[in-house]
């Protein structure tokens, strides 16, 4: 009787806190819409607010370290459970992690937040996540997946650079942190893409999985890593622009050859596949355009980088969230028509933001607004459709 009474007093764990993907995908997706609506209103002059740093800093920081970092952490802390067979964080630990992330997002909106307090709270999120990611990987000695931890550590350092740039009033420092973070996430997408895209494609299309070619992996991933290091250590600012441009064009070509081998044409009837392929193709597009910005005046650095942020990150995150959320809640990997429309909308957001501004520069602000609207519609649809999926128990009755 005493045992029964004790059990009755135990409160069931909220579904939202059973695995990291649930709260971080839901809140991260919703936050991206809020952040871009505020950004769009500020750009159009319809709304004025003074966030931490300044409006440009806030936009660049929050889309990378607010939105993208939340999704990356949600994905990794969910995947590590499959990699190691050790339960990932949930319950109170997950609530603490999500609470730190949410508090930072709120404080970043306020210009009067003490700068060192803001730094301490915001920078805490990634190291905390990295610690809980590393523990099970180290426990089972799984060196194959350990490389994700240094990427999280370096992203934490890039975030620190951005905050120090504000505190020390050195715009070049927070710009350096922002660009370093973009390259780190591009490297992460290249690594994950090479793992999952050919594997998912082969399984779904019942075709042989193309085995990676060592020389091609070295060319594509090696050049991406090299560029990433050049940016992170600041060497990029002291190397001739022509060399950097040629290096990036080489890197882009290597990624094109790599992606070409993954049989994109076989995936056109499978939205969860073609959306991933499209996202990966924006990596060589973005790297090429950044290289072109070093070699000529045909494209601005901002437009080129948006091929990586809106194009590659925006598309890959939406596609992976849609897939992971279904798979880890015991549902079939079949998306609704509304999510297919969301995939189309985020693709439109990328094309309009990059190529609209590139081809018709005089109306670039209209293309920016159109891209913001398309993004918000895409991620808004995701949040609405996946809210019940992420907040209700697994369909198969299993824990998680």
């Amino acid at each position: 009787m005493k045992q029964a009474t004790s059990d009755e007093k135990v409160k069931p764990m909220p579904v939202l806190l059973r695995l990291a993907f649930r709260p971080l995908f839901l809140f991260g997706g919703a936050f991206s819409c809020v952040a871009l609506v505020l950004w769009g209103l500020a750009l159009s002059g319809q709304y004025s607010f003074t966030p931490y740093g300044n409006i440009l800093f806030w936009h660049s920081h929050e889309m990378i370290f607010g939105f993208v970092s939340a999704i990356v952490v949600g994905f990794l802390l969910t995947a590590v459970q499959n990699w190691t067979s050790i339960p990932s964080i949930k319950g109170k630990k997950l609530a603490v992690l999500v609470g730190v992330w949410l508090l930072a997002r709120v404080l970043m909106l306020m210009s009067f937040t003490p700068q060192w307090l803001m730094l301490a709270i915001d920078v805490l999120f990634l190291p905390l996540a990295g610690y809980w990611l590393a523990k099970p990987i180290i426990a089972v000695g799984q060196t194959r997946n350990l490389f994700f931890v240094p990427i999280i550590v370096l992203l934490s350092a890039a975030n620190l650079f951005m905050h120090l740039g504000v505190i020390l009033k050195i715009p070049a420092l927070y710009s350096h942190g922002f660009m370093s973070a973009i390259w780190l996430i591009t490297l992460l997408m290249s690594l994950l893409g090479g793992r999952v895209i050919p594997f998912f494609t082969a399984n779904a299309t019942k075709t042989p999985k193309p085995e990676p070619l060592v020389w091609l992996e070295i060319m594509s991933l090696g050049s991406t890593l090299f560029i990433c290091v050049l940016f992170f250590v600041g060497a990029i600012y002291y190397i001739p622009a022509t060399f950097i441009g040629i290096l990036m064009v080489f890197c882009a070509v290597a990624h094109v050859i790599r992606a070409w081998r993954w049989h994109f044409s076989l995936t056109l009837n499978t939205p969860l596949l073609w959306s991933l392929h499209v996202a990966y193709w924006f990596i060589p597009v973005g790297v090429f355009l950044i290289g072109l910005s070093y070699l000529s005046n045909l494209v601005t650095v901002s437009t080129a980088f948006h091929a990586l942020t809106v194009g590659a990150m925006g598309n890959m995150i939406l596609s992976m969230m849609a897939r992971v959320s279904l798979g880890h809640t015991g549902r079939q990997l079949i998306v609704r028509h509304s999510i297919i429309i969301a995939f189309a909308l985020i693709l439109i957001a990328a094309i309009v933001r990059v190529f609209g501004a590139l081809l018709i520069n005089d109306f670039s602000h209209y293309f920016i607004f159109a891209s913001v609207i398309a993004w918000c519609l895409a991620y808004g649809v995701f949040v609405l459709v996946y809210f019940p999926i992420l907040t209700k128990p697994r369909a198969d009755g299993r824990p998680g």
Side-chain angles (χ1 to χ4, degrees), residues 11 51 76 89 109 121 144 191 201 203 235 245 250 258 269 348 360 376 378 390 392:
K11 294 182 179 180
L76 291 177
I89 63 165
L109 287 168
I121 293 173
R144 179 172 182 260
L191 291 164
T201 301
N203 281 359
F250 172 85
R258 190 180 191 225
N269 292 323
I348 290 169
I360 313 176
C376 291
L390 294 169
K392 291 182 179 180

Side-chain angles (χ1 to χ4, degrees), residues 34-342:
V34 173
L36 282 180
V37 166
L38 291 175
W39 171 245
L41 290 174
L43 277 184
S44 64
Q46 300 298 312
Y47 177 69
S48 178
F49 73 109
T50 307
Y52 171 86
N54 57 56
I55 185 67
L56 183 59
F57 170 88
W58 176 83
H59 169 65
S60 56
H61 180 277
E62 289 301 86
M63 290 308 293
I64 294 296
F65 292 107
F67 165 61
V68 175
S69 291
I71 309 305
V72 167
V73 167
F75 171 79
L76 291 177
L77 287 180
T78 300
V80 73
Q81 183 165 286
N82 288 348
W83 299 338
T84 64
S85 299
I86 296 176
S88 186
I89 63 165
K90 56 188 175 181
K92 291 180 181 179
K93 289 180 180 179
L94 182 54
V96 168
L97 185 67
V98 174
V100 168
W101 179 83
L102 281 171
L103 180 59
R105 306 290 67 81
V106 172
L107 293 178
M108 286 289 296
L109 287 168
M110 304 172 185
S111 61
F112 55 81
T113 301
Q115 293 177 332
W116 290 104
L117 175 64
M118 185 69 257
L119 181 152
I121 293 173
D122 186 54
V123 173
L124 177 62
F125 174 71
L126 284 171
L128 197 58
Y131 169 74
W132 279 320
L133 174 67
K135 276 191 71 177
I137 294 176
I138 294 172
V140 299
Q142 199 176 71
T143 54
R144 179 172 182 260
N145 291 314
L146 193 59
F147 71 87
F148 289 111
V149 178
I151 291 179
I152 294 294
V153 171
L154 291 175
L155 276 173
S156 303
N159 193 12
L160 179 62
F161 293 157
M162 290 199 75
H163 281 284
L164 290 177
V166 171
I167 294 170
L168 302 176
K169 295 181 172 57
I170 306 175
L173 185 56
Y174 65 66
S175 176
H176 170 67
F178 173 65
M179 289 191 290
S180 297
I182 289 176
W183 281 106
L184 283 165
I185 295 166
T186 300
L187 176 63
L188 181 62
M189 290 189 297
S190 302
L191 291 164
L192 284 173
R195 275 194 184 189
V196 304
I197 295 175
F199 175 73
F200 290 161
T201 301
N203 281 359
T205 60
K206 309 301 180 186
T207 56
K209 175 180 172 289
E211 293 301 318
L213 303 175
V214 175
W215 63 269
L216 183 57
E217 297 298 290
I218 292 173
M219 282 176 57
S220 55
L221 297 180
S223 58
T224 306
L225 175 61
F226 184 50
I227 294 169
C228 191
V229 171
L230 290 179
F231 265 90
F232 193 85
V233 302
I236 200 84
Y237 310 115
Y238 304 99
I239 297 175
T242 302
F243 174 82
I244 298 299
I246 293 172
L247 173 63
M248 290 189 182
V249 170
F250 172 85
C251 178
V253 170
H255 278 286
V256 165
I257 299 170
R258 190 180 191 225
W260 190 266
R261 301 182 65 246
W262 296 343
H263 308 307
F264 171 54
S265 60
L266 300 177
T267 71
L268 298 180
N269 292 323
T270 312
L272 279 175
L273 285 178
W274 65 250
S275 55
L276 275 178
H277 280 264
V278 165
Y280 191 91
W281 273 96
F282 268 100
I283 293 177
V285 169
V287 174
F288 175 79
L289 289 176
I290 295 170
L292 193 61
S293 74
Y294 278 86
L295 296 172
S296 72
N297 295 321
L298 295 175
V299 56
T300 66
V301 173
S302 175
T303 296
F305 267 108
H306 276 87
L308 293 179
T309 53
V310 183
M313 295 179 203
N315 281 275
M316 189 170 289
I317 284 173
L318 188 61
S319 181
M320 286 300 291
M321 287 199 303
R323 171 182 284 272
V324 170
S325 299
L326 292 174
H328 282 276
T329 56
R331 290 169 170 81
Q332 287 187 310
L333 297 179
I334 300 173
V335 292
R336 299 181 185 180
H337 291 297
S338 55
I339 295 299
I340 300 173
I341 294 171

